Amino acid sequence: MMANKGVVYKEPGVVGVEEIGYPDLVLRDGPGVNPLNVGRKCEHGVIVKVVTTNICGSDQHMVRGRTTAPSGLVLGHEITGEVIETGRDVEFIKKGDLVSVPFNIACGRCRNCKQQDTHICENVNPDRPGSAYGYVDMGGWVGGQSEYVMVPYADFQLLKFPDKDQAMDKILDLTMLSDIFPTGYHGAVSAGVKTGSTVYVAGAGPVGLAAAHSAQLLGASVVIVGDLIEERLEQARSFGCETVNLREHANLEEQIEQILGVPEVDCAIDAVGFEASGHGQNAEEAPATVLNSIMDITRAGGRLGIPGLYVTGDPGAKDKDAQEGALKIRFGLGFAKAHTFVTGQTPVMKYHRDLMQAILNGKAQIAKAVNATVISLEEAPAGYKEFDGGVAKKFVIDPHGSLK
C-alpha cells in the first residue's frame, strides 16, 4: 500500500502534515465523517494523484476555531490532479487524465444536480443538501490537501483538460477552477455585472480578487475593491481595480463618490463573509458590516452577490446571536431598495468549462490577479499562518514537486 500525507486540522491555530492513509473507493470512518456515510461504496469514483491543491479562506475559518471542525480533519477542497485509478463504474474518465475537481461533491442524479445546482446535491451529505471535501458538517469526504485523494462520481464531476502539456503550462491558472475562480465569477454573475457596470467588491482576499477579475471579464466599466489591508489593495490595483482602504477611511459612500462622482454602484459583491470587521482604525469584528454596507452603496433595484461564507454555527463569535448565525442585518433597507440577494456556495460545474477555455485561450489571468504562490506540502502549516496574517497571496500546494 502506498503512503499518503495530508494537512490535518489539530486545534485552533494549528495544522500539521501527517500520514493519513492511502485512499480507496470506500468512504471510511474518520474525523468528521458522518456515521451515515461510513462504508459508502464509490465504484463511480477515482483515485487522483494531486498535482496542485490550494489553501482557501474557508479553510481558515476552521483553523481559527470558528467552526465545530474536529481535530484530525484532513483539510482541502481545491484539487487538481492526475487520475491514477478508476472504479468499476467509471466509463469516460481514464487513467492518466489531468482533471479539475469541483469543490462541490455532486451525484449527478438528484433533482438539484439535474438543474445544475450541484452546490446543493441531495445525495452526498446526510445532514443537509450540499457537500465538499475536507470540510466540517459536509458529510466527511476526505480533504485533498494531500498527495492522493478519492473523488466520487467521477464521470459527472471531473473537468478533463484537453491537452496535458498545455494544461501544465497554465496550471497556476487552472488550479483556480476548483473553487475561487468560479466562486468569484458566480459572485459577479449573481450581482448582475454586465458591460458598463460599476461594481463594488468587499474584500481583497483571493475570492474578492477573483470576483474583481471576473467583473472585468464581464465588461464592468469600474471595479472598486474595499479592504482593511493595504497590501491586498495594492494587489487589486495591480490589475486595474480602484480601491478603498476602510481602515483609514471608514465612510464607504464618500470614497465611492470620490471615484465615481456618485455615492453608489450598480452592483456589489460580498467576498468577506461572517468574520467581517467594522470600518475604521479601532474597529472590531462585526459580522453584518459588509452586508449592511453593500446595501447602503448599491443603487435601488441593484443586485448583491454573496459568495462570502456565512454559517449556521460560529462558536467563536462574540455574541450569542452570531454564534447561531443570526446577524443584525438591515433587511428593511434591502427591501426598500428592492435589492436582489443571491447567497450560497457556488455551483462550480455551471462555470468551470467556460472559465477553462478563457484561461487556455489567454482571456483570463487569474493566477496573476490572486498572486498565486507555490509551496510544498511540508510548508503548508507556515502557509496557513502567513495567509491568516492577511498576506496578498493565494497559496498553491505542490505535493509531489510536479510544477516547473
Side-chain angles (χ1 to χ4, degrees), residues 229-243:
I229 300 173
E230 183 58 30
E231 181 185 350
R232 289 185 168 194
L233 294 174
E234 183 178 348
Q235 180 63 28
R237 290 193 292 270
S238 75
F239 59 97
C241 298
E242 300 286 342
T243 62

Side-chain angles (χ1 to χ4, degrees), residues 27-28 30-34 37 73 105 124-126 131-143:
L27 183 53
R28 306 289 183 184
V33 180
N34 189 300
N37 260 352
L73 184 74
I105 301 171
V124 288
N125 182 0
S131 189
Y133 303 89
Y135 213 85
V136 61
D137 296 332
M138 287 288 188
W141 301 89
V142 179

Side-chain angles (χ1 to χ4, degrees), residues 101-169:
V101 182
F103 81 88
N104 324 110
I105 301 171
C107 71
R109 298 154 167 81
C110 70
R111 174 182 178 179
N112 288 339
C113 284
K114 289 177 180 179
Q115 295 177 170
Q116 282 196 305
D117 291 327
T118 53
H119 57 311
I120 43 175
C121 174
E122 298 174 338
N123 290 329
V124 288
N125 182 0
D127 287 335
R128 66 175 74 90
S131 189
Y133 303 89
Y135 213 85
V136 61
D137 296 332
M138 287 288 188
W141 301 89
V142 179
Q145 283 174 15
S146 57
E147 295 173 307
Y148 304 92
V149 67
M150 188 267 281
V151 175
Y153 304 105
D155 279 332
F156 176 64
Q157 295 193 100
L158 293 181
L159 176 65
K160 176 185 172 181
F161 301 137
D163 183 281
K164 290 178 73 172
D165 291 336
Q166 180 194 32
M168 287 304 296
D169 286 341

Side-chain angles (χ1 to χ4, degrees), residues 380-392:
Y384 268 95
K385 289 183 179 179
E386 194 174 350
F387 188 35
D388 192 45
V391 68

Side-chain angles (χ1 to χ4, degrees), residues 94-347:
K94 306 298 182 185
K95 292 180 184 178
D97 286 347
L98 189 62
V99 296
S100 177
V101 182
F103 81 88
N104 324 110
I105 301 171
C107 71
R109 298 154 167 81
C110 70
R111 174 182 178 179
N112 288 339
C113 284
K114 289 177 180 179
Q115 295 177 170
Q116 282 196 305
D117 291 327
T118 53
H119 57 311
I120 43 175
C121 174
E122 298 174 338
N123 290 329
V124 288
N125 182 0
D127 287 335
R128 66 175 74 90
S131 189
Y133 303 89
Y135 213 85
V136 61
D137 296 332
M138 287 288 188
W141 301 89
V142 179
Q145 283 174 15
S146 57
E147 295 173 307
Y148 304 92
V149 67
M150 188 267 281
V151 175
Y153 304 105
D155 279 332
F156 176 64
Q157 295 193 100
L158 293 181
L159 176 65
K160 176 185 172 181
F161 301 137
D163 183 281
K164 290 178 73 172
D165 291 336
Q166 180 194 32
M168 287 304 296
D169 286 341
K170 299 258 189 181
I171 195 66
L172 287 184
D173 293 288
L174 295 171
T175 190
M176 306 304 168
L177 291 174
S178 57
D179 182 355
I180 70 159
F181 197 8
T183 293
Y185 193 82
H186 178 62
V189 169
S190 299
V193 178
K194 58 183 177 57
T195 302
S197 295
T198 57
V199 185
Y200 175 69
V201 180
V207 169
L209 297 172
H213 185 45
S214 298
Q216 293 172 333
L217 291 174
L218 289 165
S221 59
V222 182
V223 179
I224 305 168
V225 179
D227 202 278
L228 304 169
I229 300 173
E230 183 58 30
E231 181 185 350
R232 289 185 168 194
L233 294 174
E234 183 178 348
Q235 180 63 28
R237 290 193 292 270
S238 75
F239 59 97
C241 298
E242 300 286 342
T243 62
V244 293
N245 188 318
L246 294 165
R247 181 75 71 198
E248 296 178 0
H249 307 286
N251 191 314
L252 177 57
E253 286 179 285
E254 285 184 1
Q255 294 193 81
I256 296 288
E257 186 169 19
Q258 288 175 6
I259 295 168
L260 298 177
V262 292
E264 66 178 16
V265 292
D266 295 323
C267 37
I269 301 165
D270 173 2
V272 177
F274 73 101
E275 286 192 70
S277 170
H279 300 163
Q281 289 287 348
N282 300 310
E284 297 181 346
E285 186 173 302
T289 298
V290 171
L291 292 171
N292 287 329
S293 66
I294 63 175
M295 284 189 281
D296 279 333
I297 54 93
T298 301
R299 70 172 183 85
R303 298 172 63 92
L304 312 178
I306 309 172
L309 176 66
Y310 289 88
V311 293
T312 56
D314 175 10
K318 293 183 178 180
D319 65 77
K320 186 176 180 180
D321 287 340
Q323 289 174 5
E324 298 174 352
L327 309 182
K328 294 180 180 178
I329 299 169
R330 297 181 62 200
F331 191 75
L333 176 61
F335 182 92
K337 297 179 78 172
H339 283 157
T340 298
F341 299 75
V342 180
T343 67
Q345 291 186 1
T346 298

Side-chain angles (χ1 to χ4, degrees), residues 7 17 55 373-383 396-401:
V7 181
V17 178
I55 297 176
T373 303
V374 179
I375 60 175
S376 68
L377 189 65
E378 287 71 23
E379 293 172 314
V396 177
I397 300 172
D398 176 10
H400 295 277

